[in-house]
Amino acid sequence: MSRLGVFDVSVRYGKVPALTDVSLNIGEGERVFISGPNGAGKSSLLKAISGAVPTAHGRIELDGDLLTGQSPEAIARLGLSMVPEGREIFGRLTVEENLRVGTGIRRDADAVEGDIAEIYRAFPILAERRHASAGALSGGQQQMLAIGRALMTNPKLMMVDEPSLGLAPKIVDQVYDTLVALQEERGLTLLIVEQSSVRAGRVGGRMILLRGGKVVGEGDAVAFADKDALTEAYFGKTGKEAAE
Amino acid sequence: MPDKHTQNRLLAHSTPLILALILLTFVAAVALTGDRALARMAAETLVRVTLVVGLWIFVGNSGVISFGHAGYMAIGAYCSAWLTLKPQAKALFLPDLPAWLASAEWHVFPAAIASGLLAAFVALVSGAAILRLSGIAASIATFAFLAIVYTVYSNWEGVTGATSSVVGLTRYVGPWVALAWAVAAIVAANLYANSASGLALRATREDEVAARASGIDQYRHRLLSLVISGFFTGVAGALFGHSLGVLNPDSFYLGITFIALAMLVVGGIGSLSGAVTGVLVLSLLIEALVRLEQGVSIGAAALALPSGAQEILIGVVMILVLILRPAGLTGGAEFRLRARTSRLSFDQEQTTTN
Amino acid sequence: MNTLAQLFFDAASLGGIYAMAALGIALIFGVMNLVNFAHGQYIAFCVFALIVPSTDAVAVVFLGRAPAFLLIPLLLAVGAAAAVASEYAVFRHMRKATPVAMMISSFALGFVIQNALLATYGGRPKAISLWPELNTPVTVIGASVPLLQVIVILTTLIVVAGLALLLKKTRIGLEMRAAAENFTMARLLGVRANVVITGAFALSGALAAAVALIMATQTGVADVRMGGQIMLVAFIATVIGGLGSLPGAVAAGFLIGAASVLLQAYLPLDARPFRDAFLYTLVIVSLLVRPQGLFVPSSAKPRV
């Protein structure tokens, strides 16, 4: 049973096409990576799914609920959560306030408190700084906060856009370890935009390659960690031939 | 045969010709009817063209909304009054004028130029203070500037007559005089818009950061456009005073600020043709509404719009335009000839109100 | 006799009015980058809501006849309703417009409201008699000040504290603060844009009503032009305080109030009528020195 269905979605910024007829499916509990060169449309895909940008045409569904045409807040309430590129934490709010912004959509106050405690267990550094201004955190800490914040909406599907951006490799390791652990604990479905196919291969999961706004490859992430497969996907068969 | 790009650049100068032609036709048509009231309306309309085109030179190119231009109008208007009124009248009504000003009795044309120059100078000073601010903050600061001018002119009894009107200005501004100045303003506006400074300024209107990265000094260009804008706005003020014959600080406060902005917005804030179009369209609307306010008498029953209805309607029109078609009637495009075809057409330069 | 204490009360009460007016503007600007030029007219609207529509010179107090405990919440509701109505009518349709376009349309809206008041009530200022007993002087720390001034100062403190509490401790307050910082991100977390925006307008309108009550009582006059006058000061306070900063708006409001009172007290008699011109010149000077606002850290990037 597919959790997320994207059907023939196109996104345009004015006259410039960012995505053209992209289709994909993500099953429950899956871990899917989206990779591709700059400008391939990876962020646009996530923005279209989350409702941050409108689609020119196409349909997006989450567990049968129609997402296209809905406002971002309605989509969040349907069970989709997003950790955007650059984290975008609320710097002027405290760490704890950041975590609580998304809890407005939940009815179960006790479960909310339980979740907050859970996040603090998973990210002890956040617990230490719970009343500090979020803007004072380091990049890696902000990434943890952004993930924790997205989890607080109790999502079915969580999308993470470039978790490794601007972070030291060791920190990125930590971030991914946490993501994988959280996924296993909660049965979360994950959609991750990750520029480094090597990294994706190491973490493991399914990989969808985008180039020029279109899907150009799909398969096991490990397979795309291979340089040749990647070159072919990025530059097309001619790229390889041209190099010879 | 020059290449298409050069052709286009040269043909950009067809815009003032087309606009001048439209206005000329308008004035000629009115002159043919011989109707005095219509002639007055035509003169009023053309003075507004000078004003709104003057306003556009700054607002349209920089993207910064100025609420302070009525202040430059006031400065120009009273300057022309000081220079052209008979010394006897000035001695009576404006006793605190410095001697050289009180005894001055200039011809109206150099007085108009001087008014423009004084307003331009004040624009330079006020701009130096205000234009380093970011767009919205600068706009609010222009409001402060307007308030300063209004407060000073409404209280300085000996020099401006304060709240009592200054009367006796020579009413030399008929449709043809107003047309001449309107065309001058349009030509100047077009020249500036197509100059290096104008183009650079419009670049900053689109994207401040990118423009700065390209080495454009936004502040300097804003200042230049404001000074030129101030000149024509000051002249418009002088023309306004001399078409009415009477001056009062209240004429240069919120009412005229609102109307000028409305005309700019409705016509299309991005283009010179938009400025002119807005003036023509709204002037027609205002004329119609004024007639309705005076009452259309059908036998015994007299239908009249309550006072204030005119402004309400124009306000509503303005809001509707901003919601439905923010780029205005012209969509920010200019009336001009395009290269390699000699058909009149729209050339999309830009399509958003900034 | 201008004793220091009297000057203090004058400054604090005038500053309080300006601070509350500026707060109304800063709230909306913080949440949606909208400079609401119609705000002054919400204030005027509330003042005129107190009296029966007519063009007579002396106003017949209508709503204003209700006892205080009824009138205050009622007028606050009227103010909130007026602001929310204007949001539904105009600003809701401009969510994707540029800040400049929104600013111009708020200017147009203000003009429309002002002229609607003009058409309904006529242009002559009317006398209103609202709680005239509050203008009787009381003695506080040696100065003889109208009771109203003390009430204004207290009200401002209560309003500011109440607003701070609302923003810091309530759900809607949290959502507003998050939306003010990053609207899109807040929406991605389920924060409903309409709720936050309507809430901001309602608060803003209520603040306008509070200012209206004070001005009506203090001046005893309903004039269609009163909206424009206070609006200008409120805007200037918002800019000096740093656009979008609530504490900045409050501080700047008090600062301008103090400057205005001091100018009035110490300017030579001939220059007194030009007090406003001096005030606004000071404003422009302060903007030159610190364009980002007086109460914002230098490192703050411009919000617009």
Side-chain angles (χ1 to χ4, degrees), chain B residues 65 67 129 133-134 136 139-140 143-144 147-148 151-152 155-156 258 265 307-308 311-312 315 318-319 322-323 353-354, chain C residues 35 37 93-94 98 100 103-105 107-108 111-112 115-116 119 232 236 239 273-274 277 280-281 284 287-288 291 304:
Chain B
I65 303 292
F67 295 102
L133 296 171
S134 75
I136 298 276
S139 298
I140 298 182
F143 226 127
I148 292 176
T151 309
V152 169
N155 283 289
W156 209 348
F258 173 71
V265 164
S307 74
E311 283 86 355
I312 294 178
M318 201 163 146
I319 293 177
L322 282 165
I323 292 178
T353 344
N354 264 62
Chain C
V35 176
F37 274 121
H93 308 283
M94 302 190 73
T98 63
V100 167
M103 179 177 73
I104 303 178
S105 66
F107 183 65
F111 213 71
V112 167
N115 280 282
L232 183 55
I236 300 215
V239 173
F274 300 96
Y280 298 138
T281 313
I284 295 189
L287 284 174
L288 264 176
V304 197

Side-chain angles (χ1 to χ4, degrees), chain A residues 39-199:
Chain A
K42 314 189 289 293
S43 282
S44 302
L45 177 62
L46 260 55
K47 285 184 188 160
I49 298 173
S50 68
V53 308
T55 55
H57 70 74
R59 205 171 79 248
I60 305 176
E61 284 175 9
L62 179 70
D63 277 352
D65 291 323
L66 188 67
L67 296 188
T68 31
Q70 301 249 34
S71 67
E73 53 261 45
I75 293 176
R77 279 154 201 271
L78 285 172
L80 188 86
S81 197
M82 166 96 144
V83 181
E85 196 180 336
R87 270 87 65 185
E88 309 240 15
I89 55 146
F90 302 110
R92 293 203 293 252
L93 274 54
T94 64
V95 166
E96 176 134 340
E97 285 174 336
N98 265 272
L99 290 177
R100 288 187 186 274
V101 172
T103 62
I105 67 181
R106 298 172 65 177
R107 317 272 159 146
D108 42 348
D110 287 329
V112 168
E113 297 309 315
D115 275 350
I116 298 249
E118 274 258 8
I119 304 282
Y120 284 142
R121 251 199 306 277
F123 305 115
I125 187 70
L126 293 183
E128 269 175 51
R129 309 280 215 91
R130 69 202 298 174
H131 296 301
S133 152
L137 296 177
S138 73
Q141 292 164 348
Q142 287 187 1
Q143 187 64 281
M144 305 294 192
L145 177 58
I147 293 174
R149 183 181 63 176
L151 285 171
M152 286 305 302
T153 62
N154 203 16
K156 300 183 203 171
L157 171 71
M158 188 158 98
M159 306 193 296
V160 189
D161 196 345
E162 304 270 18
S164 47
L165 204 64
L167 297 180
K170 253 186 46 187
I171 310 282
V172 178
D173 287 339
Q174 279 179 344
V175 170
Y176 269 112
D177 288 340
T178 316
L179 275 175
V180 171
L182 283 167
Q183 183 175 31
E184 278 160 25
E185 272 173 46
R186 293 164 166 253
L188 202 55
T189 311
L190 275 181
L191 177 60
I192 306 176
V193 168
E194 174 56 67
Q195 267 237 4
S196 161
S197 54
V198 171
R199 165 77 63 183

Side-chain angles (χ1 to χ4, degrees), chain B residues 61-76:
Chain B
N61 288 302
S62 70
V64 175
I65 303 292
S66 167
F67 295 102
H69 271 60
Y72 304 130
M73 264 188 102
I75 290 169

